[in-house]
Amino acid sequence: AGDILDGEGHLWGRIDDQRLTTYTYPTTRWTPNQPVFSLIPMNFWQGTPPRQYNIRLRVYDEESGDVLSVTDQRGAARRGST
């Protein structure tokens, strides 16, 4: 899931909940420093002006539903990552 935001933090659309990759490549198989690619449809709201936008994605633990943290190379949580 995610949000589409302008540079001032205004919301201009939502990204529906879905798997980032196919069912044959779950997050449990991802390895550190390995890029993972996926096409994700973004639904901009009607009337959204053309400009650059920021994408804020949330990744959930499949079992608990908790939002997973973004971590740096040392494993420390990074706040405000988009």
Side-chain angles (χ1 to χ4, degrees):
D3 302 316
I4 302 167
L5 307 159
D6 65 17
E8 298 174 2
H10 297 109
L11 185 64
W12 288 97
R14 298 269 175 179
I15 300 167
D16 295 331
D17 288 348
Q18 67 180 37
R19 291 183 182 266
L20 290 177
T21 59
T22 64
Y23 288 93
T24 59
Y25 195 56
T27 56
T28 54
R29 292 182 50 204
W30 297 5
T31 60
N33 301 314
Q34 176 188 15
V36 176
F37 300 95
S38 185
L39 296 176
I40 301 171
M42 292 185 270
N43 302 309
F44 287 86
W45 293 332
Q46 187 172 0
T48 301
R51 63 174 72 151
Q52 277 192 297
Y53 291 91
N54 297 306
I55 307 299
R56 179 175 53 202
L57 295 177
R58 290 178 298 282
V59 179
Y60 298 92
D61 180 284
E62 190 171 29
E63 291 181 21
S64 69
D66 293 338
V67 176
L68 297 175
S69 298
V70 175
T71 58
D72 63 17
Q73 292 175 335
R74 297 179 311 254
R78 293 176 50 188
R79 297 197 62 167
S81 299
T82 57

